[in-house]
Amino acid sequence: MVGAGTIGLAWAALFAHAGLEVRVTDPRDDLDAAVDDALPMLAESIPGADVTALRSRITATDDLAEAVENAQLVQENGPERLEFKQQLFAEIARHAPADAVLASSSSGIVASAIAAELDEDVAARLLIAHPFNPPQVVPLVEIVPGATAEEVVQQAIAFYRDLGKTPVRIHKEVDGSVANRLQSALLRESISLVQQGVVSAEELDTVMKASLGGRYATIGPFESFHLGGGPGGIRHMMAHLGVGMADRWAELGRPELDEPTITSIVEQTEAAYGAGPESYRERARLRDRKHNALNHALFGIETGADATI
Ligand SMILES: NC(=O)C1=CN([C@@H]2O[C@H](COP(=O)(O)OP(=O)(O)OC[C@H]3O[C@@H](n4cnc5c(N)ncnc54)[C@H](O)[C@@H]3O)[C@@H](O)[C@H]2O)C=CC1
Ligand SMILES: O=C(O)[C@@H](O)C(=O)[C@H](O)[C@@H](O)CO
């Protein structure tokens, strides 16, 4: 595990819960304390996890070479800067085994860009394995190959599936892959509606949770449109509502994320959900309890070898 921040520590707890020996490396001077401080809340959000058992499988070291020297898979969770990740993977490749899978959690940087200066055999082992925060709760991992060898892609998909995740292979490298692009589109319109005074930030969240949030946890956008068409399905929906929906695209907002907008969104969000470490812990624990209950309900319904959420 390279990088022990929000995502790296969460991955470390999940990997450890799966019985893996995890070596976490990060230059932060409070690395051991960061692991010890994060584990109780992480364990609480992983059904059946035990803090002591997790900690026994996690070794923290500021020596990257020591951390990756025997790794089967390296999960990189460093700062979201291309040059940084290029240098980091060059160093990882120098010390990790020649057959190690090299995965980056990156939200928007593509594997081809990270591997641009790396040898072909290293690029063939490098891919994006992008989680959604928090990785130990949200099922999705977007598997986005670059010049990655097919057997490495398959190895990675199997690894994250065995971890209990829902890996989805993305077939083309685009900034933000799929989930983040969808999230960006939604946030853009959300900010536009709040900026116009149509709803407050908290009211928008309620609209989302009371409609699309639950809907898209159970059926996706296309199945939803299909079922919305009744027996006529998506064919009827396209004829019936498709044109109106397309016309509305021209009306969607393009807000500027300028200082007044940022201030308004921040003030409304903090007024609704608090701010600071204590508030973060309280809201994050609530988030994780609700999402785990949802996971249990959804996975409990669709069981069997080909269960998909
Ligand atoms: N925070 C989020 O919601 C999500 C973030 N990601 C991605 O995960 C990656 C990490 O993001 P966060 O955990 O949020 O960032 P973070 O800022 O919480 O953690 C980054 C960590 O990298 C460490 N670091 C800096 N230089 C390093 C080095 N040379 N070697 C090892 N570690 C080093 C820092 O000390 C820090 O602990 C990014 O690529 C981000 O795009 C992916 C999904 C969600
Ligand atoms: O929201 C998430 O968990 C992921 O989509 C992310 O990659 C990050 O939050 C990212 O969107 C921040 O820009």
Side-chain angles (χ1 to χ4, degrees), residues 151-226:
E151 70 263 20
V152 173
V153 176
Q154 294 306 323
Q155 214 179 321
I157 291 171
F159 174 83
Y160 294 103
R161 185 171 289 129
D162 291 347
L163 215 51
K165 306 304 292 176
T166 303
V168 175
R169 182 181 188 154
I170 308 299
H171 302 289
K172 286 187 179 177
E173 292 183 305
V174 290
D175 179 354
S177 296
V178 173
N180 265 338
R181 292 178 76 89
L182 295 176
Q183 181 168 239
S184 299
L186 181 67
L187 273 174
R188 182 175 75 177
E189 187 55 22
S190 300
I191 289 171
S192 175
L193 290 168
V194 170
Q195 188 189 47
Q196 296 173 65
V198 175
V199 282
S200 71
E202 188 175 14
E203 288 162 345
L204 185 121
D205 279 0
T206 301
V207 166
M208 193 70 207
K209 290 185 290 184
S211 63
L212 298 180
R215 171 184 283 180
Y216 290 158
T218 52
I219 53 176
F222 290 108
E223 184 178 6
S224 170
F225 210 54
H226 187 44

Side-chain angles (χ1 to χ4, degrees), residues 102-117:
L102 307 179
S104 172
S105 298
S106 178
S107 302
I109 300 171
V110 296
S112 298
I114 296 173
E117 308 298 322

Side-chain angles (χ1 to χ4, degrees), residues 1-9 25-28 64 76-81 84-85 88 91 104-109 130-133 135 180:
M1 201 63 61
V2 177
T6 304
I7 297 301
L9 290 172
T25 185
D26 189 312
R28 61 190 293 181
L64 184 141
E76 178 272 325
N77 319 277
E80 185 71 351
R81 293 197 309 273
F84 187 91
K85 290 191 186 297
L88 193 52
E91 190 182 355
S104 172
S105 298
S106 178
S107 302
I109 300 171
H130 171 243
F132 241 56
N133 187 41
N180 265 338

Side-chain angles (χ1 to χ4, degrees), residues 11 17 29 36-37 47 52 59 61 64 79 89 102 113 116 129-130 175 199 211 241 243-244 253 256 295 297:
W11 271 134
H17 184 57
D29 54 15
D36 292 338
D37 293 347
T52 306
T59 304
T61 172
L64 184 141
F89 271 100
L102 307 179
H130 171 243
D175 179 354
V199 282
S211 63
L241 295 175
V243 173
E256 289 296 322
N295 287 343

